[in-house]
Amino acid sequence: MSNLKQKINRESIKRTFTGTGANKVYSSLFCIVCGLFIGFLIMVVLSPKNAPFDFTMLITGGIKFYGLNGFGNILSMFAPLLCAGVGVIFAYKTGIFNIGAAGQYTLGAFGALVFALKLNQHWTVCLLMAMLFGAVWAAIPALLKVFCKVNEVISGIMLNWIGLFFVNWSLQTYLSSIINPGDSYKTWKLYVYNASTGKYDFTKPLISKLPNMGISNLGDTFSIAFIIAILVAIFAFILMEKTTFGFQLKASGYNRHATKYAGMNAKKNCILTMIISGAIIGLGAGLFYLSGIEEWSATISSALPQVPWNGIIIAFIAQMNPIGAVFAAGLLGVLSTGATATTQSVFPKEISDLITSIIVYLSGLTAITMRFFPWIKKKLSRKKVSEAEQPLIVDANKGGK
Amino acid sequence: MATSFLILLTYVLIFFVALMLVALGGMFSERSGIVNIGLEGTMIFGGFFALLTLNGLMAVKCPPFFVVLITIIVAIVSGMLFSMLLAFVSIKFNADQTLIGTALNLFATAFCVVFAKRISKFGTDSINFQKKYFIIQIGQLDINIFLIIGIFILIISWFALFKTRFGLRLRSCGENPQSAASAGINVFKYRYIGVLISGALAGLGAIAYLIPSSSVWNASNGVAGFGFLALAVLIFGAWKPFKIMGASLFFSFFLALSFCYYDFFLSFFHIELTKANGVTKELFKMIPYILSLVALALTSKNSRAPKAEGQPYERGQR
């Protein structure tokens, strides 16, 4: 009896480590390790002397340098990254590559900042508005795709830039009161500003700033954001895996025509997916700008924000699994925080973007890496088999003679 | 009045040539069946190495002709090498072309910022350079040499695409690779060639944009979405060389206006356009993207896009 139990246990454990899911994890880990290794080589090229020390700084998220604040920084970077990643994953399940994430994120940031700084609303309202703005911007490519058959990748790219220029135009003209002219056209910080002294009172955050739940020793940017983000990831996971709607989404991702034939409303599903995806990405933008990590800069009109692009990276490292996205976002959070702690004159903070872009380039090769591990296993097992069988063959040959 | 018009014309010509070159590059790639979202990254990468070469050649006092020639060659070669990163994985391993293109864009920006900051003495990401050898002055108008090169390339690409055996085969690989293969065409080879040409023209387009328009380049600004605008030009130009030329002329007008709208409107219409009136350069930069989105919405139902673009070619598939 106990023997059987052991056998079952062993079987199930074996399956956990050898199934398709496990292969996905292995191939992602393989990409991450390779990406980090290439990143390390690039750092060695930049400066052989400092590379080992700064590389450890990078992959530990600069904990040694920042202390507890560093942990808070990682968590506050993690939240928007996770939201962006989950948003991209959600759309990809239906077969839509949401490259317009950057535009939805930009509009989400716009919504959050307008309601925070212009209308002085509570942070919950600001986050809802971020979601709404993101959703509206995501609905445009979906509508164009459904009714005009426009490829969502191309329309997404166009909308990214339209969104960026629209937001920066708005902030420089009719919404110029939320820009701080003294701070090179960045938006105001989320603290009470004393006009007579010209300084912020950092003990008094605005009601639109995300609350830190009474934990003050994790730095200024630490907030409730990471809890919201994890809840969103769980929500997305349940919606995709446990509901009829989620099943329809995935089915239309596998075969659009079959779902149409089976009586599912493909058009409605496509639009709904994009709206949810855009809302999640917009929420990510809200979490980023309302936790005060950075201020929006209205003059840099030539560069889209980096976080949504990292969201695409996270989605592919996580191989389109929201729970995997939690770990991938954690990795990117650690790297991007760690990159600010390295010796900036030798290793600029963009080194983390460099490494993550290499990782995602490699993860584009999942077709190979997914085949790679079963292939190795096959090789190993074949070796064993052939060793076991060899004497028999030899015997048979002898018999023949 | 005349000077503000000349300034506008100079900008229009610069952007026109650069946009046209990059869009023609995109055309070759998409006609062969590979969507090159990585044009932006290819431009950044090619431009970065070309500018470094230019600075190096200026430092050793190389004769002007060789400075121009070698800079152009370096831009083309580095663009081709970079586009190989796309070609290899999307043709050989059937990787998702959009994903790889996105990854390459991110990679190019990060790579160039990191190395520009490392090279620079003050830790900034800007590179200064001199453009005098690339400019020919005719009267008061500055003509850059890329204009001449660009028009040559336009004619050559039209001829190559529609009047030669090579062009027919390339197009067939983008329309229906399986039947092309059944006629004995090596689809992989033509797709590699398509992507390599796009890399070469993107590299050339990068310096056509960067060198005449300024004397300093910030690596973190990259090429300010120029590669994506070229994709818009490509769609607006319906994947045809001369229509692409028209579209780039049209788009470059708005792009040029975004730089000198104030002087232009003041001297021609006596209207002062300022932030107080609700006009900034972003407004003009937005127009090309909105127009191409509208064009997409109107024309996508009977699109002229190559039928098999973005689809990996698999031998056994029907």
Side-chain angles (χ1 to χ4, degrees), chain A residues 190-361:
Chain A
L190 297 163
Y191 293 96
V192 172
Y193 182 73
N194 191 335
S196 58
T197 56
K199 275 178 187 157
Y200 291 102
D201 186 352
F202 284 107
T203 54
K204 288 184 197 157
L206 297 177
I207 50 164
S208 51
K209 190 172 189 294
L210 296 172
N212 63 1
M213 305 179 294
I215 303 166
S216 55
N217 54 357
L218 285 176
D220 295 332
T221 59
F222 174 75
S223 68
I224 197 169
F226 79 99
I227 297 176
I228 298 176
I230 289 177
L231 287 179
V232 164
I234 294 171
F235 161 79
F237 181 74
I238 292 173
L239 195 61
M240 278 191 287
E241 302 295 332
K242 307 288 175 201
T243 64
T244 319
F245 176 62
F247 176 76
Q248 292 191 354
L249 295 188
K250 283 197 291 183
S252 57
Y254 285 125
N255 191 334
R256 200 167 290 274
H257 304 292
T259 46
K260 206 176 168 188
Y261 185 70
M264 301 175 191
N265 190 339
K267 288 182 176 177
K268 195 190 86 187
N269 282 344
C270 174
I271 297 170
L272 255 181
T273 321
M274 276 303 277
I275 285 176
I276 295 173
S277 165
I280 296 175
I281 292 166
L283 177 71
L287 294 179
F288 186 84
Y289 288 99
L290 294 181
S291 58
I293 301 171
E294 251 176 50
E295 286 75 47
W296 182 272
S297 173
T299 47
I300 303 176
S301 52
S302 54
L304 288 159
Q306 189 70 32
V307 173
W309 295 112
N310 284 339
I312 294 178
I313 291 178
I314 287 165
F316 278 88
I317 295 178
Q319 304 220 8
M320 302 302 153
N321 185 326
I323 304 303
V326 175
F327 296 100
L331 174 76
L332 259 67
V334 166
L335 287 181
S336 57
T337 315
T340 57
T342 54
T343 323
Q344 289 297 311
S345 59
V346 192
F347 308 114
K349 65 181 191 315
E350 284 79 6
I351 195 95
S352 72
D353 297 333
L354 188 58
I355 292 175
T356 49
S357 66
I358 295 170
I359 295 176
V360 74
Y361 178 80

Side-chain angles (χ1 to χ4, degrees), chain B residues 113-189:
Chain B
V113 172
V114 165
F115 277 85
K117 279 188 178 172
R118 183 75 181 92
I119 292 164
S120 131
K121 286 190 190 88
F122 311 105
T124 58
D125 56 0
S126 53
I127 298 174
N128 293 301
F129 53 88
Q130 287 177 318
K131 58 180 172 184
K132 58 184 176 190
Y133 294 154
F134 292 86
I135 308 283
I136 305 160
Q137 235 174 13
I138 301 173
Q140 277 184 307
L141 189 64
D142 286 346
I143 299 279
N144 63 71
I145 56 157
F146 298 107
L147 192 63
I148 303 152
I149 300 173
I151 287 168
F152 264 113
I153 286 180
L154 172 72
I155 293 164
I156 293 169
S157 20
W158 170 78
F159 188 79
L161 202 60
F162 292 107
K163 300 288 165 199
T164 62
R165 199 163 59 183
F166 161 79
L168 185 67
R169 289 181 172 180
L170 187 85
R171 282 185 289 145
S172 70
C173 291
E175 293 291 337
N176 193 338
Q178 279 78 23
S179 62
S182 73
I185 295 168
N186 186 345
V187 176
F188 298 119
K189 187 180 110 187

Side-chain angles (χ1 to χ4, degrees), chain A residues 148-183:
Chain A
C148 305
K149 288 188 176 170
V150 178
N151 184 323
E152 78 278 2
V153 171
I154 301 294
S155 60
I157 289 172
M158 303 296 138
L159 283 164
N160 280 346
W161 293 95
I162 297 173
L164 179 74
F165 294 139
F166 168 73
V167 167
N168 284 339
W169 170 69
S170 304
L171 292 182
Q172 287 179 48
T173 55
Y174 63 97
L175 286 170
S176 56
S177 63
I178 68 174
I179 293 287
N180 179 0
D183 190 14

